[in-house]
Amino acid sequence: MSLKNLNRIQRKAVESIDGPVLIFAGAGSGKTRVLTHKMFYLIKEKLYKPENILSVTFTNKAAKEMKSRVMKLLRTDNLPITIGTFHSVCARLLRNESRHLDISPHFAIYDVQDQLDLLKVILKNLNIPKDQITPNFARNQISYLKNKMISPDAQLRKSRTINEKKFVEVYNAYQKSLADNDALDFDDLLLFPLELFEKNPKILSKYQNRWKYILVDEYQDTNRPQFFFLTKLAEKNENICVVGDDDQSIYGWRGADVTNILDFEKFFPSCRVFTLEKNYRSTQQILDAATAVVTHNDRRAKKKLFAENGSGELLGLIETSDELEESDAIISALEKEIKINKRTFKDFSVLYRTNAQSRPLEDSFRRMGIPYNLVGSIRFYDRKEVKDVLAYLRLVINLKDTISLRRVVNFPARGIGLKTMDKCVYQAEKDKIELFEVLKKADELPIRGKQSDSLIKFYSLIKKYNGLRKKLSASELSQSLIEEAGILTQFKKSKNIDDKERYENVRELLNSIDEFCSKRENTTLSDFLEEVSLLTDLDHWNDSDNRVTLMTVHSAKGLEFPVIFIAGLDDGLFPLFSSIEQKKDLEEERRLFYVALTRAEERVFLLYATNRRRMGGENVLGLPSRFISEIPPEYLDRIEFQSALTRRVISDSGQKRTKIRVRRTVTTFDDFKVGDMVEHSIFGIGKIMVLSGTGENQRVGVIFKDGTKKKLIVKYANLTKVS
């Protein structure tokens, strides 16, 4: 294997290995190919040993794909190279060096829900009412300050009002509670290594000598702590290669700083700069339209993308009357693409600015029997019963984890309420001992005998498995603990239909632990819990399913589809109203639109509505997004669309708001019967096997020629009888 499959600029970037390198990689220009070939080149030419290379990116999926590609290029099954997300690399580093920071190597990693649960307790203890500071506001503000590397003391010096000072009190209490729980949040995973390097120059030197060559993917998305982490590691050898696209910097709201990539040359003056402009994904029409929009931003690196895939078709622009007709229009265009261009469902993705926009889309897709995959819905590891089991496992590993303790002390139900836990907390503070240790003396508390017995049994259960954690495998421990705790038995015996699904979800969790252990040698329960804590929605996305993908534009970053629909292109929705006044925010919205357009390989459809229901159910007059007007007219094809459904806006005087009344313009329907052969615009010819109801309320079950089975509502399915 050589570098022959790289173009001239890609190859130059790969072969440039002495000193810092900055690669501006336009959308679809092969940045992953460049990164993997650079790692391959460094190892193949014996310039660096695999263990001396560090490669960081932003998702586990990207890290795994990158490592897989490098191993394939090197034709090896073993590669001791460090490839991972910033958070996973830092978590591993902190576990190895925990003794230098006075933290446990078994520290818990608190996700968003854990943080909110902790803040609810803190706000209650500080007697702060919800109308003054909410847990969500506190979490977001603390995360913002940590991303800016502002400590509680520094924030206190800036505080002027009583409320600002009260918030700092919450911030301080939050940090203390994390320490008491032997826990770090996601932001701490990035901040603690910086503290470690500052206090222990020898440890910094150790990692500088270990990671002699550093590669960074999606550099435009790095925040301040990530920037300092990388520059600290690279300051000795200056062998760092960063790849990114400033036009795709879309995470400013969570701390990403686009100036990190734009000012890279200021921090590394000797760096060589390469710009990848040959696009292997999209057509020239799509690229020119996207570039025309993003060039309205003032500060950006100039680049002109050239499509490998030819000119392509114009971008379809569809005006609809409301969000319901918008969904109809998407399905209509989707039907035509399937018929004319022989596409399959997985060729399509519908992108939107906010998660709330998925609801009318989902309704329409369900009515038409079109399979879809909703990215950003409740993830498997976020389901309550799964989080409950994970809390058991986290408590077994870390007995100081009071958030996990509070979550499972009454799961399954043991009669332990909030008042009982308050008494335990009071006793722990009085005796100055850990909350968990209070449970073994529950018979000394002012609570009923049944409750004290439950707490003592719970204490014994957790203590038992805490002692077994080094003797049993993660799989054996999890299986045994969950069975002894009675979780599976509770769900299995329940007559509640939802509990059957919960039972299956817990079984599936145990399977995932078993699979995790079987794929890795000498793995621990801590390793599994860490991986789960750092998962993102995209790590669960499976493009092998033949389904239309629905997701926000943020979730679509890094993905590509033959056909993209961008829904909700109303001014005030995309871009958001809150971003229009601030130039910096509007430029990020524009970059987000650029990302949306460049997910498409062959076709793009842009949709906006002249009326749209917003928060509270009121109808708002819609105007086309200003981004549409920034696309030159010669790149747009205006498509006329009128739904078979008519909608009338009516006034509801009782509720003092407007409603939409929907009716179908066609009011006569065939009354189908079992055995009828029918044709569907997407699925083709099929046979009705079951039915219920009559007229427009009739529902039918159809088996189509390819074996697909669908339940359809006649009113919406547009079925026609065929002989």
Side-chain angles (χ1 to χ4, degrees):
M1 177 63 69
S2 66
L3 306 182
K4 287 182 180 178
N5 60 338
L6 302 179
N7 65 39
R8 183 177 60 85
I9 301 297
Q10 287 175 336
R11 182 164 183 162
K12 278 189 173 183
V14 165
E15 292 177 336
S16 179
I17 55 164
D18 295 322
V21 173
L22 167 61
I23 303 173
F24 283 111
S29 61
K31 69 175 179 62
T32 304
R33 186 189 306 173
V34 169
L35 275 174
T36 51
H37 276 78
K38 196 170 186 79
M39 283 184 262
F40 159 75
Y41 182 73
L42 292 171
I43 297 167
K44 187 71 174 176
E45 298 299 316
K46 297 183 178 176
L47 300 165
Y48 291 90
K49 294 178 180 178
E51 55 267 32
N52 293 139
I53 298 172
L54 168 66
S55 178
V56 284
T57 185
F58 280 84
T59 68
N60 292 289
K61 185 175 182 178
K64 287 175 183 175
E65 182 183 344
M66 213 174 285
K67 188 164 188 176
S68 174
R69 285 202 202 182
V70 178
M71 287 168 68
K72 190 174 180 181
L73 287 170
L74 290 167
R75 297 178 183 176
T76 180
D77 294 327
N78 182 35
L79 188 65
I81 190 172
T82 303
I83 302 180
T85 64
F86 278 96
H87 291 95
S88 64
V89 168
C90 288
R92 210 172 310 140
L93 185 154
L94 289 173
R95 293 201 193 280
N96 291 336
E97 309 295 344
S98 58
R99 65 189 181 279
H100 298 290
L101 285 171
D102 196 27
I103 58 175
S104 163
H106 305 299
F107 61 79
I109 300 174
Y110 276 9
D111 63 16
V112 172
Q113 189 56 55
D114 297 323
Q115 292 171 264
L116 291 173
D117 290 343
L118 182 59
L119 283 162
K120 285 174 188 174
V121 174
I122 290 169
L123 293 170
K124 181 183 175 184
N125 291 342
L126 294 175
N127 295 314
I128 297 176
K130 289 182 180 178
D131 59 356
Q132 188 175 351
I133 299 176
T134 65
N136 206 45
F137 170 82
R139 195 208 75 83
N140 291 338
Q141 191 65 13
I142 289 170
S143 182
Y144 172 82
L145 292 172
K146 286 187 176 185
N147 273 305
K148 298 295 182 185
M149 299 176 68
I150 299 172
S151 67
D153 288 344
Q155 185 62 16
L156 182 61
R157 288 193 291 272
K158 292 181 179 181
S159 300
R160 297 292 178 265
T161 68
I162 294 173
N163 280 353
E164 287 174 348
K165 291 175 181 177
K166 181 63 74 173
F167 168 74
V168 175
E169 194 178 345
V170 174
Y171 190 0
N172 262 317
Y174 173 77
Q175 288 302 101
K176 183 179 184 304
S177 295
L178 284 177
D180 290 344
N181 284 277
D182 262 344
L184 304 181
D185 61 23
F186 282 3
D187 298 314
D188 287 335
L189 291 178
L190 303 176
L191 291 170
F192 274 49
L194 300 180
E195 183 183 336
L196 178 70
F197 294 160
E198 189 69 31
K199 290 180 176 178
N200 299 274
K202 287 184 179 178
I203 293 177
L204 171 60
S205 181
K206 168 185 168 181
Y207 285 98
Q208 287 173 336
N209 291 328
R210 175 182 297 181
W211 293 322
K212 295 178 180 177
Y213 203 97
I214 301 168
L215 301 105
V216 190
D217 189 17
E218 305 284 10
Y219 189 67
Q220 78 281 349
D221 292 332
T222 53
N223 60 20
R224 188 175 173 85
Q226 288 162 339
F227 167 78
F228 280 110
F229 176 71
L230 293 168
T231 50
K232 282 282 185 186
L233 288 174
E235 67 184 359
K236 181 179 179 180
N237 302 307
E238 287 205 345
N239 286 321
I240 180 171
C241 172
V242 303
V243 183
D245 181 7
D246 55 300
D247 288 334
Q248 296 185 70
S249 180
I250 59 173
Y251 296 111
W253 48 275
R254 71 180 188 197
D257 188 349
V258 69
T259 60
N260 286 349
I261 190 168
L262 292 174
D263 293 341
F264 185 80
E265 292 175 81
K266 290 182 181 178
F267 295 100
F268 295 98
S270 62
C271 84
R272 297 187 64 187
V273 181
F274 300 91
T275 304
L276 308 182
E277 297 176 306
K278 192 169 186 178
N279 177 282
Y280 296 91
R281 177 191 299 152
S282 307
T283 64
Q284 196 64 51
Q285 297 273 15
I286 294 169
L287 296 179
D288 287 347
T291 302
V293 174
V294 82
T295 49
H296 282 77
N297 282 355
D298 284 345
R299 193 162 182 228
R300 60 181 291 268
K302 289 184 179 179
K303 58 188 85 71
K304 172 67 175 173
L305 299 180
F306 300 94
E308 175 83 352
N309 298 335
S311 178
E313 297 185 63
L314 298 176
L315 284 68
L317 177 62
I318 305 174
E319 178 188 290
T320 62
S321 61
D322 57 25
E323 70 274 11
L324 303 177
E325 189 170 82
E326 183 176 69
S327 301
D328 292 347
I330 289 170
I331 290 173
S332 174
L334 185 146
E335 288 175 353
K336 289 175 183 174
E337 285 289 321
I338 288 174
K339 273 190 172 181
I340 296 170
N341 296 316
K342 310 299 180 190
R343 300 193 192 277
T344 58
F345 292 124
K346 68 180 179 181
D347 292 336
F348 302 93
S349 179
V350 184
L351 307 183
Y352 36 82
R353 180 63 182 84
T354 65
N355 273 309
Q357 291 170 252
S358 73
R359 202 271 311 152
L361 291 164
E362 288 187 79
D363 287 349
S364 294
F365 275 62
R366 276 197 300 267
R367 283 199 305 261
M368 292 297 293
I370 297 173
Y372 66 89
N373 180 32
L374 181 65
V375 177
S377 58
I378 297 176
R379 296 187 293 134
F380 176 78
Y381 291 103
D382 284 338
R383 291 169 185 165
K384 182 184 181 301
E385 62 276 11
V386 174
K387 285 186 75 72
D388 286 340
V389 173
L390 291 173
Y392 261 102
L393 301 177
R394 284 165 52 168
L395 183 58
V396 163
I397 296 296
N398 176 10
L399 300 178
K400 291 183 178 182
D401 187 352
T402 61
I403 294 300
S404 293
L405 170 58
R406 286 173 178 271
R407 186 177 186 105
V408 299
V409 71
N410 198 41
F411 172 75
R414 301 182 176 90
I416 310 301
L418 291 175
K419 289 183 178 179
T420 302
M421 284 309 297
D422 285 344
K423 290 174 183 176
C424 292
V425 171
Y426 173 79
Q427 197 65 41
E429 291 172 350
K430 181 182 176 184
D431 296 344
K432 295 183 179 179
I433 59 174
E434 299 296 336
L435 179 59
F436 180 74
E437 293 303 319
V438 171
L439 306 189
K440 70 178 176 183
K441 298 178 180 179
D443 54 352
E444 299 174 13
L445 296 174
I447 58 177
R448 288 182 296 162
K450 187 176 180 182
Q451 291 172 315
S452 65
D453 288 345
S454 295
L455 287 174
I456 291 169
K457 285 179 183 177
F458 177 76
Y459 173 87
S460 299
L461 175 73
I462 300 301
K463 195 71 175 175
K464 170 185 173 181
Y465 284 95
N466 176 258
L468 290 171
R469 70 188 191 281
K470 293 182 180 178
K471 299 175 184 177
L472 298 178
S473 70
S475 179
E476 291 168 335
L477 187 147
S478 305
Q479 182 80 36
S480 182
L481 170 62
I482 297 323
E483 286 182 2
E484 190 169 341
I487 295 170
L488 287 173
T489 304
Q490 172 184 289
F491 289 142
K492 196 170 185 179
K493 287 182 177 179
S494 173
K495 293 181 181 179
N496 185 332
I497 295 174
D498 292 337
D499 280 344
K500 303 300 179 189
E501 184 178 344
R502 293 183 182 108
Y503 173 84
E504 294 300 329
N505 286 337
V506 174
R507 293 293 322 165
E508 184 59 32
L509 173 62
L510 294 173
N511 289 341
S512 70
I513 297 172
D514 193 48
E515 287 174 11
F516 182 84
C517 293
S518 65
K519 289 178 182 176
R520 300 163 174 80
E521 290 184 14
N522 303 319
T523 194
T524 66
L525 190 54
S526 292
D527 296 331
F528 174 79
L529 293 172
E530 181 176 302
E531 172 143 313
V532 170
S533 297
L534 302 176
L535 286 176
T536 66
D537 283 333
L538 284 182
D539 293 314
H540 298 276
W541 180 74
N542 181 4
D543 61 358
S544 65
D545 292 342
N546 190 22
R547 297 169 177 269
V548 179
T549 300
L550 310 181
M551 65 175 109
T552 64
V553 184
H554 281 101
S555 296
K557 178 86 184 303
L559 304 179
E560 55 190 41
F561 299 86
V563 182
I564 288 288
F565 296 93
I566 308 177
L569 279 171
D570 312 357
D571 221 40
L573 183 56
F574 197 178
L576 293 172
F577 274 123
S578 58
S579 304
I580 290 173
E581 297 301 322
Q582 296 294 326
K583 183 179 179 181
K584 180 181 176 184
D585 295 338
L586 182 59
E587 290 203 347
E588 179 154 319
E589 290 283 302
R590 192 174 277 117
R591 292 195 293 267
L592 190 60
F593 182 61
Y594 174 87
V595 167
L597 285 175
T598 55
R599 298 312 92 202
E601 296 171 345
E602 299 168 23
R603 285 230 67 180
V604 170
F605 292 92
L606 311 174
L607 299 100
Y608 66 93
T610 53
N611 287 280
R612 190 179 298 271
R613 276 183 296 177
R614 296 286 172 87
M615 299 293 274
E618 290 191 7
N619 265 48
V620 178
L621 182 66
L623 295 172
S625 168
R626 63 194 63 200
F627 299 152
I628 293 175
S629 65
E630 292 174 356
I631 300 174
E634 60 266 27
Y635 296 121
L636 297 173
D637 173 24
R638 292 188 173 271
I639 300 171
E640 295 297 324
F641 176 79
Q642 188 171 6
S643 173
L645 299 179
T646 59
R647 299 173 176 85
R648 187 160 58 92
V649 178
I650 60 173
S651 175
D652 184 344
S653 56
Q655 298 293 323
K656 294 184 178 179
R657 65 181 186 184
T658 57
K659 286 182 179 178
I660 293 181
R661 180 168 288 162
V662 182
R663 67 182 180 85
R664 195 172 183 90
T665 51
V666 180
T667 57
T668 58
F669 292 87
D670 286 320
D671 267 343
F672 296 108
K673 61 182 184 293
V674 172
D676 280 349
M677 299 299 292
V678 293
E679 184 174 9
H680 186 276
S681 58
I682 294 177
F683 301 107
I685 305 291
K687 185 177 182 180
I688 294 178
M689 306 304 291
V690 293
L691 59 76
S692 64
T694 58
E696 66 177 44
N697 295 318
Q698 194 171 54
R699 296 169 183 263
V700 293
V702 184
I703 294 183
F704 293 94
K705 281 191 173 181
D706 64 355
T708 300
K709 297 178 182 178
K710 286 290 165 189
K711 291 179 182 177
L712 303 168
I713 303 171
V714 172
K715 179 178 178 179
Y716 301 104
N718 295 324
L719 295 173
T720 55
K721 284 185 181 180
V722 295
S723 57

